Amino acid sequence: METIETPERAMLVIPHPDDGESGCGGTVAKWAREGCKVLYVVCTNGDKGSSDPDMTSERLAAIRAVEQQKATDVLGVDELVMLGYGDGELEDTGVFRGQIVEQIRRFRPDVLLAMDPRRMSHSHRDHRISGQTALDASFPFARDVLHYPEHLASGLETHKVGTVLLWGSENPDVVIDITETVDLKMHALAAHESQLSTDMARIEQFAKRRATDAAAEAADHGYKYEYAEIFRRINFRR
């Protein structure tokens, strides 16, 4: 297991509002604090995530958009793009892939973060599709001039993503120390009131338990952090 330097620009491909904070909110806050420019691309509007029989998809989507903006403000994210797909409705289509490619070519990230689509255990369909589409968009689609030539016509040049970090991986090989930003991660999670308990003690327990588990896994490789987040890294040839 290794660590990674703070990049100049980082882009996240996030399936639902709150997945970014849960998976790598501490890393985002750390990097933003250290001068990294961060773009959030949230794929769905999260309009199905409620057990309230009186809730509507339209109202929930509006609530979650506000919550997501509050969370990104806490972390120091520079830009939030919400693609607006319905919860559970992501498909690996040329249109969806092209939207991710467009954001890569526009923002030009050094590092892209997404959910790991390769898991032995079952994961949400949107998690798998967003992760695989993010990988495909990073390589080769954003790199190759003949993919989505309409982007070039509008002034967007091709871009080579150097590294993808996948959170939620069962075989991580990168660790990030989030000891100084775990509290920001907790407060960003707390912004998602429609999805999580409003009890900060419970949110703290959830966030810190996962962060200490990640730190314990990293400790086996010589990294002595109090709180951490871990990822699987894919490097693309320059």
Side-chain angles (χ1 to χ4, degrees):
M1 188 172 288
E2 299 177 338
T3 191
I4 186 172
E5 293 184 0
T6 299
E8 291 185 9
R9 304 180 75 81
M11 170 176 158
L12 285 76
V13 177
I14 301 166
H16 309 105
D18 81 22
D19 285 331
E21 291 74 48
S22 178
C24 53
T27 297
V28 168
K30 171 184 171 66
W31 286 357
R33 178 180 285 182
E34 294 173 354
C36 178
K37 299 296 184 183
V38 182
L39 166 66
Y40 259 38
V41 179
V42 181
C43 301
T44 75
N45 57 20
D47 64 353
K48 305 298 191 300
S50 176
S51 58
D52 181 356
D54 296 322
M55 180 62 72
T56 67
S57 289
E58 292 77 10
R59 184 156 64 92
L60 183 58
I63 290 170
R64 299 198 70 182
V66 171
E67 291 174 344
Q68 184 61 83
Q69 185 62 66
K70 289 180 179 178
T72 53
D73 289 345
V74 169
L75 296 179
V77 172
D78 295 275
E79 187 177 354
L80 170 63
V81 172
M82 299 192 72
L83 298 182
Y85 287 93
D87 192 339
E89 298 176 14
L90 286 186
E91 300 290 347
D92 185 2
T93 66
V95 171
F96 176 42
R97 191 182 321 115
Q99 290 175 304
I100 304 301
V101 169
E102 182 178 17
Q103 295 301 323
I104 292 172
R105 288 175 170 174
R106 181 184 67 83
F107 191 72
R108 310 184 76 78
D110 305 296
V111 175
L112 185 143
L113 300 96
M115 294 198 74
D116 196 336
R118 191 183 74 186
R119 292 177 60 87
M120 295 296 292
S121 56
H122 182 67
S123 63
H124 194 294
R125 174 180 173 82
D126 289 338
H127 293 182
R128 301 194 308 271
I129 292 175
S130 67
Q132 188 60 57
T133 303
L135 284 169
D136 293 337
S138 297
F139 182 87
F141 285 88
R143 180 201 65 176
D144 291 348
V145 68
L146 295 179
H147 288 303
Y148 302 101
E150 65 272 20
H151 296 165
L152 276 70
S154 66
L156 295 179
E157 299 294 331
T158 60
H159 180 69
K160 298 178 182 179
V161 176
T163 299
V164 172
L165 296 181
L166 299 169
W167 77 83
S169 177
E170 294 172 332
N171 51 341
D173 53 14
V174 166
V175 58
I176 306 293
D177 179 11
I178 65 163
T179 303
E180 294 185 358
T181 55
V182 68
D183 287 345
L184 288 174
K185 175 180 176 122
M186 291 186 315
H187 286 291
L189 282 167
H192 297 280
E193 294 183 8
S194 69
Q195 304 301 299
L196 302 171
S197 167
T198 56
D199 182 351
M200 275 301 298
R202 292 183 63 184
I203 293 173
E204 179 176 5
Q205 182 183 35
F206 165 76
K208 288 189 173 180
R209 183 180 69 249
R210 294 183 63 176
T212 52
D213 288 346
E217 188 166 349
D220 294 337
H221 300 269
Y223 292 94
K224 305 301 182 182
Y225 303 144
E226 186 175 3
Y227 299 110
E229 289 172 341
I230 48 180
F231 306 87
R232 178 164 70 93
R233 172 164 51 189
I234 297 176
N235 291 325
F236 293 120
R237 176 171 48 85
R238 286 292 189 176

